[in-house]
Structure formats: C-alpha cells, structure tokens
Amino acid sequence: MMSVAIALPDSPPAPGTLCFYYGDERICVERSHRQSKVDRVLIKVQPDCRVLVQAPVHASDEDVLQAVKKRARWIYQQLREFRAQQEHVTQRRYISGESHYYQGKQYQLKVIASPEHKQGVKLLRGSLEVSVREQNPDKVQALLNDWYRHKARDVFARRLDVMLDQALWVTGRPPIRILTMQTQWGSCSPQGRLTLNPHLVKAPRECVDYVILHELCHIAEHNHSERFYRLLKQVMPHYEAVKTRLDAMVGKILT
C-alpha cells in the first residue's frame, strides 16, 4: 500500500514578519522601520539565522518583499553558511581537555577537583585552569562565566579608551554595562550608554574594537543609515572583513 506524505501547513508569521519562498525553502524576514530619507531597503542576515530588514515607513509590505526577493539568492547563501557553522558546533561539557577562547586564542581547559583547593580560574601556560571542590560541570561553567565577565570589564574599558581617540564626535566617556546577550554583541542606548556582551572578550582584539566603534557610531547616528555606515567606514575602513571574522566565530565562543 502506497503512503502519501502530507505536508503540514506553514505556521502563520509573527506580526512584523514577512515570508517568501526561495525554491522549496520558506524564508521569513523581520521588518523594522528605517529612520532615514533614503528609500533603499537594508537587509541583514544574523549569525543566528534571523533575517532583518529595515525599510522606509511609507514602503508597503509588498514593496519590501519585492526588494527582498531580489536578494533572495544572497540571503539563502548566507543562511546556508551560518547553518553549516552551527552544525559543526559541539556543545561544551566543561571537562578537562576542551578548548576555550580568550582574546582570540584557544586555551585547553584543565579542571582540578580537590576539597582543599580555593575555587577559581587561572590562565596558566596556554591553559585555563579551573579549581573546584568537586567535579561539577555546572560549577566549572559558572566560575568560567564569572572570570570572563571580570576580564571583559577590564578589556572593554581599555579598548574603549583607545577607540575614543578615533571617535571624535563623542564628548565624555560613555558608561559601559556588561550583559550576556544571545543575539547581540553590543548596543547603545539613546543616552549613550554602551552595553557589551562578555562573550565578546573571547574574540580577537580587533573584533572587540569593531563592536565598540560600531556602538560609538550610534551616538552620532542612532540607526543603521547610510550615514552610519559611512562614519563606521571612516574610522574602521576594513570593518566588513572584521565583522565577517567575528560572525564566523559565533559558534565557537557563544557555546
């Protein structure tokens, strides 16, 4: 007896989401308004495979979809690349022998379990040494996260001081908040406060500089307008290559 496969209907898109098909794949994009006089539609594919679209307020959803479809092949290729990166990511178990990153370099994790040891993390001779009273991966992870957060505060503060010499439009020293985020490396509040992801300290220094400069540019340009990207390119001409490098590391440093 022949069986017939019946495809389940696609779930309705969330509000503000537009969907289209590229071949057999349904691709959904999250639309937001672009606060700019430029009528162009700006498309971004995030490492977590979200597709973001900024479009002028007056543009209809149909017009936005037509613009997105013209870039459908590029969007599909970006999604394939990010998905391929995710497939090769192995979930960390926080046991000795694993590789962990700090400032762009790989370090081997060494877990020392002893009731007499003071619990903490040390960076020694190419390894990250974590001392715990008993074998407990959750405790090892918590200690590492605290260590990364502490290091991030120091590293980000030093790099902000260096980047401020290039960001001549910034008056005063913006405050920094450290916050773990799943889909952002950083953000800038309307008041000029920078929020940075502590996981970013695992990336090379140049990537840290890129994220800080990106957020400092938002103090001058509060959205991703053409002027924003012109400003970013002025202070970091090769920012696109650095962003690509950082995006390629997402699976290695966010797990």
Side-chain angles (χ1 to χ4, degrees):
M1 180 178 179
M2 283 185 66
S3 62
V4 179
I6 301 176
L8 293 174
D10 291 323
S11 58
T17 302
L18 308 174
C19 299
F20 68 98
Y21 281 89
Y22 183 77
D24 293 330
E25 177 160 356
R26 186 187 189 216
I27 299 176
C28 292
V29 302
E30 301 173 30
R31 177 181 178 173
S32 62
H33 295 319
R34 188 173 189 187
Q35 303 300 326
S36 171
K37 296 180 181 179
V38 180
D39 283 341
R40 290 175 58 190
V41 172
L42 182 65
I43 304 170
K44 287 186 176 182
V45 181
Q46 301 288 80
D48 62 358
C49 294
R50 289 188 305 144
V51 184
L52 309 180
V53 177
Q54 290 186 333
V57 177
H58 61 78
S60 68
D61 285 349
E62 185 58 37
D63 289 339
V64 174
L65 266 180
Q66 289 302 319
V68 170
K69 287 178 181 178
K70 291 179 181 178
R71 302 291 307 280
R73 187 166 182 268
W74 175 81
I75 294 171
Y76 178 73
Q77 288 174 338
Q78 292 287 104
L79 288 172
R80 284 189 60 185
E81 290 177 11
F82 285 132
R83 286 168 185 160
Q85 291 172 15
Q86 292 174 358
E87 287 175 2
H88 292 91
V89 173
T90 302
Q91 196 67 30
R92 285 191 166 80
R93 298 163 61 196
Y94 294 92
I95 58 175
S96 292
E98 286 183 339
S99 289
H100 289 254
Y101 285 80
Y102 176 61
Q103 292 197 293
K105 296 181 181 179
Q106 275 184 289
Y107 293 90
Q108 189 176 65
L109 180 63
K110 183 179 180 181
V111 179
I112 300 174
S114 172
E116 292 81 27
H117 273 87
K118 181 181 178 181
Q119 297 191 124
V121 181
K122 294 179 181 178
L123 190 62
L124 298 171
R125 297 180 295 278
S127 66
L128 271 170
E129 188 177 287
V130 182
S131 297
V132 289
R133 294 192 179 94
E134 59 182 21
Q135 289 286 358
N136 185 330
D138 290 339
K139 184 61 178 178
V140 173
Q141 181 180 8
L143 287 170
L144 272 175
N145 285 343
D146 287 345
W147 183 83
Y148 277 123
R149 181 178 292 271
H150 175 75
K151 291 293 184 183
R153 193 173 299 280
D154 291 340
V155 171
F156 296 164
R158 291 198 305 269
R159 297 316 300 167
L160 174 60
D161 288 339
V162 175
M163 294 303 103
L164 283 173
D165 288 340
Q166 298 176 238
L168 302 180
W169 60 90
V170 179
T171 58
R173 192 178 191 279
I176 295 179
R177 178 177 65 154
I178 307 298
L179 180 67
T180 300
M181 298 174 281
Q182 294 301 315
T183 61
Q184 287 180 285
W185 292 119
S187 65
C188 179
S189 74
Q191 295 74 36
R193 182 180 68 179
L194 307 187
T195 298
L196 298 174
N197 193 328
H199 288 297
L200 180 62
V201 79
K202 303 175 187 179
R205 187 180 68 184
E206 190 175 41
C207 296
V208 174
D209 292 350
Y210 156 69
V211 173
I212 291 175
L213 279 173
H214 182 110
E215 302 312 330
L216 290 176
C217 286
H218 278 310
I219 293 177
E221 298 293 335
H222 301 297
N223 50 65
H224 293 107
S225 63
E226 298 295 328
R227 288 190 298 180
F228 170 86
Y229 285 108
R230 281 200 301 269
L231 181 60
L232 181 56
K233 199 171 185 67
Q234 286 174 11
V235 291
M236 182 175 269
H238 60 302
Y239 83 87
E240 291 171 304
V242 180
K243 180 184 182 300
T244 298
R245 185 183 182 190
L246 179 59
D247 288 343
M249 294 190 70
V250 167
K252 298 175 182 177
I253 63 181
L254 284 184
T255 55

